[in-house]
mmCIF file of all heavy atoms in Angstrom:
data_model
loop_
_atom_site.group_PDB
_atom_site.id
_atom_site.type_symbol
_atom_site.label_atom_id
_atom_site.label_comp_id
_atom_site.label_asym_id
_atom_site.label_seq_id
_atom_site.Cartn_x
_atom_site.Cartn_y
_atom_site.Cartn_z
ATOM 1 N N GLU B 28 24.145 23.627 -47.745
ATOM 2 C CA GLU B 28 22.950 24.394 -48.107
ATOM 3 C C GLU B 28 21.874 24.274 -47.033
ATOM 4 O O GLU B 28 21.222 25.261 -46.678
ATOM 5 C CB GLU B 28 22.390 23.921 -49.453
ATOM 6 C CG GLU B 28 23.253 24.298 -50.636
ATOM 7 C CD GLU B 28 22.818 23.627 -51.918
ATOM 8 O OE1 GLU B 28 22.408 22.439 -51.885
ATOM 9 O OE2 GLU B 28 22.897 24.294 -52.965
ATOM 10 N N SER B 31 22.966 26.339 -44.017
ATOM 11 C CA SER B 31 22.770 27.752 -44.291
ATOM 12 C C SER B 31 21.293 28.135 -44.199
ATOM 13 O O SER B 31 20.934 29.143 -43.587
ATOM 14 C CB SER B 31 23.318 28.094 -45.676
ATOM 15 O OG SER B 31 23.057 29.435 -45.994
ATOM 16 N N ARG B 33 18.960 26.561 -42.515
ATOM 17 C CA ARG B 33 18.573 26.460 -41.107
ATOM 18 C C ARG B 33 18.988 27.703 -40.336
ATOM 19 O O ARG B 33 18.208 28.263 -39.559
ATOM 20 C CB ARG B 33 19.204 25.217 -40.462
ATOM 21 C CG ARG B 33 18.787 25.077 -38.988
ATOM 22 C CD ARG B 33 19.611 24.062 -38.256
ATOM 23 N NE ARG B 33 21.011 24.480 -38.272
ATOM 24 C CZ ARG B 33 22.024 23.673 -38.035
ATOM 25 N NH1 ARG B 33 21.820 22.393 -37.783
ATOM 26 N NH2 ARG B 33 23.256 24.130 -38.047
ATOM 27 N N ARG B 35 19.508 30.741 -41.495
ATOM 28 C CA ARG B 35 18.689 31.884 -41.910
ATOM 29 C C ARG B 35 17.294 31.790 -41.306
ATOM 30 O O ARG B 35 16.727 32.797 -40.865
ATOM 31 C CB ARG B 35 18.617 31.968 -43.426
ATOM 32 C CG ARG B 35 19.952 32.373 -44.051
ATOM 33 C CD ARG B 35 19.839 32.687 -45.528
ATOM 34 N NE ARG B 35 19.064 31.729 -46.299
ATOM 35 C CZ ARG B 35 19.582 30.774 -47.070
ATOM 36 N NH1 ARG B 35 20.889 30.650 -47.190
ATOM 37 N NH2 ARG B 35 18.796 29.960 -47.745
ATOM 38 N N LEU B 36 16.734 30.593 -41.265
ATOM 39 C CA LEU B 36 15.411 30.410 -40.660
ATOM 40 C C LEU B 36 15.446 30.699 -39.160
ATOM 41 O O LEU B 36 14.536 31.343 -38.620
ATOM 42 C CB LEU B 36 14.901 28.990 -40.922
ATOM 43 C CG LEU B 36 14.499 28.692 -42.364
ATOM 44 C CD1 LEU B 36 14.308 27.193 -42.558
ATOM 45 C CD2 LEU B 36 13.255 29.451 -42.760
ATOM 46 N N ARG B 50 5.517 43.723 -29.255
ATOM 47 C CA ARG B 50 4.087 44.031 -29.368
ATOM 48 C C ARG B 50 3.312 43.591 -28.129
ATOM 49 O O ARG B 50 2.379 44.269 -27.705
ATOM 50 C CB ARG B 50 3.503 43.379 -30.616
ATOM 51 C CG ARG B 50 4.006 44.036 -31.875
ATOM 52 C CD ARG B 50 3.338 43.461 -33.081
ATOM 53 N NE ARG B 50 3.944 43.961 -34.309
ATOM 54 C CZ ARG B 50 3.409 43.790 -35.496
ATOM 55 N NH1 ARG B 50 2.260 43.151 -35.625
ATOM 56 N NH2 ARG B 50 4.017 44.261 -36.556
ATOM 57 N N ALA B 59 -2.709 48.031 -19.090
ATOM 58 C CA ALA B 59 -2.519 48.582 -17.746
ATOM 59 C C ALA B 59 -2.996 50.026 -17.689
ATOM 60 O O ALA B 59 -3.632 50.437 -16.705
ATOM 61 C CB ALA B 59 -1.055 48.493 -17.342
ATOM 62 N N ARG B 64 -7.576 53.680 -15.777
ATOM 63 C CA ARG B 64 -8.605 54.679 -16.063
ATOM 64 C C ARG B 64 -9.994 54.156 -15.737
ATOM 65 O O ARG B 64 -10.880 54.905 -15.377
ATOM 66 C CB ARG B 64 -8.558 55.110 -17.515
ATOM 67 C CG ARG B 64 -7.364 55.956 -17.837
ATOM 68 C CD ARG B 64 -7.443 56.459 -19.237
ATOM 69 N NE ARG B 64 -6.297 57.318 -19.526
ATOM 70 C CZ ARG B 64 -6.110 57.920 -20.663
ATOM 71 N NH1 ARG B 64 -6.973 57.774 -21.654
ATOM 72 N NH2 ARG B 64 -5.053 58.685 -20.866
#
Side-chain angles (χ1 to χ4, degrees):
E28 289 170 322
S31 176
R33 181 193 61 198
R35 290 190 315 259
L36 289 168
R50 290 185 188 192
R64 289 186 178 181

